[in-house]
Structures are given as structure tokens and as C-alpha cells.
Amino acid sequence: MIGPNARSRPPAGGHTVLVVEDDASIRTLLTSALSAAGYAVASAGGGQEGMFEAGSRRPDLIVLDVMLPDTDGFRFTRELRAQGVYTPVLFLTARTGVEDRIIGLSSGGDDYVTKPFHVQEVLLRVRAILRRSGAAASPVGARPLLQYADLVLDESTREVRRGDCLLKLSPTEFRLLACLLARPERVLEKAEILQQVWQYDFSGDTRIVDSYIKNLRRKVDRSAPPLIHTVRGVGYCLRVPRDETGAAPR
């Protein structure tokens, strides 16, 4: 584990990355590569140690092994999110099944790299996640305030409110809602959402959109008339319920 005084030079973009990986050789490889790329790096060999480092270091991104000796990465991420910590997470795993990938991303992860991997791919994914997290949330025509009905998203403060209720969203959920709010009452195809929110597709698998929409609905539409609607076979639309307006999406 890298100690508090381990930084020898300013990190890339001022970013700190936490590597949680029980395989010492992989942990060393990633720590060295990330440090060489200019990031400040902390590391942990298990979930409990990783949780402590996440709380004390407050990293900008966590590179997280799915199979840990004392927990699994999915549970680790869900626990972070339950505590209100929305640090982006990049999963590392030997599981190659699509279902595992969907479960991981649905648990609150932001990206997924399968083992064996090329370290350059990990670096590219890290840069992409940090770029997305630091970029303006709205994929089109960035505006500081996006509003529809009683739903308000403030890009300057990174806050979302539904009426008087403050909603706690992960960075990916924030970008997804901004994507919907940028084009209210218009049907957005799943492929378009993938491109706008994730900036690349997951091998053409749009189920990640479905999973994140499901999570977003639990927060946005939990105690108020639903605003996020499914257009079967196409995608999703943000609009007030039909029975209130009688209008169809444009």
C-alpha cells in the first residue's frame, strides 16, 4: 500500500486512483503503470482495506477487482453507493459473460475490463471515465440548468431535485438523466443513449441502458408521477404522464 507521502510529482489532472486487487503482481503492475501515467495511486489487497482507503483517500476513481478474498466488487460498490459515495468504479474481472458485465455495471460501476487485459487498455478506460466525470453533464448544448416539470438538474452544483426532494445520483446516472432532460418529450433510441452517455457502445448490448434506467426510475419516480417512460422496441422518453396531458412524445 502506498503511504500518505508517496506522491513524488503532481498527478495527471490532479487525480488520485485507488487500486483494489488481491493479486499482488497485478496490483503492482497497475500501480506502477498509473503512477508512470502521472496519477497519484493508493492500493489495497482486499475489500475492507479498500473501503478504508476509499474513505480516507477520497480517490477520483477506483479500479476494483470483482473477486476479492473478503467480499466481491459488486457488493463493495453497492455498499459505497449506499453510503452516498459515488466515486467512479472500473471493474477488473476474469468473468467474461455478458450477464456478469450487466450485473457489475448495474451495481453502480462505470466500466468493465476483463482479464487478461493489456495495461494500456486500463489506462485508456481510466482516462475516459475521468474525462466523462469531469465533463459537463449535458451531452448536447451544455446548459447550467436543465428543467422539466418539477425535475431540475443543476450542472454547476451537480445537484438534482424532484420537487423539494434532493436526489442522490451516481455520475453515470447524472449523465443519463442529463441526456433525457436535454431532449424532453422526444424518444431517444438506446443506441443513441449509449453513445451520448458512455461515449462508446458495449459491443452493441443495450441492456446496460435498461439497467441504468431502472435504477434511475427508483430515484426520480419513486414518490411522484412517473416522468421516465419506455417506448417499446425503441428507447426511452422523458415526459409527463399521458393521462395528465393526453400528448404523445414528439
Side-chain angles (χ1 to χ4, degrees), residues 102 176 189-191 193-194 198 205-214 235-236:
I102 297 301
L176 175 56
E189 296 183 4
K190 294 180 183 180
I193 295 174
L194 274 175
W198 283 269
D205 194 327
T206 58
R207 284 182 292 177
I208 181 60
V209 177
D210 300 330
S211 298
Y212 265 94
I213 286 288
K214 183 178 180 180
Y236 297 96

Side-chain angles (χ1 to χ4, degrees), residues 146-195:
L146 296 174
Q147 183 172 3
Y148 181 76
D150 61 345
L151 180 63
V152 180
L153 181 148
D154 191 330
E155 294 177 343
S156 60
T157 63
R158 309 290 290 183
E159 289 185 346
V160 177
R161 292 183 178 275
R162 179 83 194 266
D164 296 328
C165 182
L166 180 65
L167 308 180
K168 293 184 178 181
L169 305 184
S170 72
T172 301
E173 291 169 345
F174 189 92
R175 292 194 305 274
L176 175 56
L177 183 58
C179 180
L180 295 172
L181 275 167
R183 297 185 179 91
E185 300 185 2
R186 290 183 57 185
V187 178
L188 298 182
E189 296 183 4
K190 294 180 183 180
E192 180 182 2
I193 295 174
L194 274 175
Q195 178 61 34

Side-chain angles (χ1 to χ4, degrees), residues 65 76-77 80 127 154 170 184 193-194 198 213 218 235 243:
D65 184 26
F76 181 101
T77 304
L80 277 180
R127 283 198 292 270
D154 191 330
S170 72
I193 295 174
L194 274 175
W198 283 269
I213 286 288
R218 290 196 187 105
D243 57 6

Side-chain angles (χ1 to χ4, degrees), residues 83-99:
Q83 294 175 6
V85 178
Y86 295 102
T87 304
V89 172
L90 171 62
F91 286 119
L92 300 177
T93 182
R95 299 177 181 177
T96 58
V98 172
E99 291 298 331

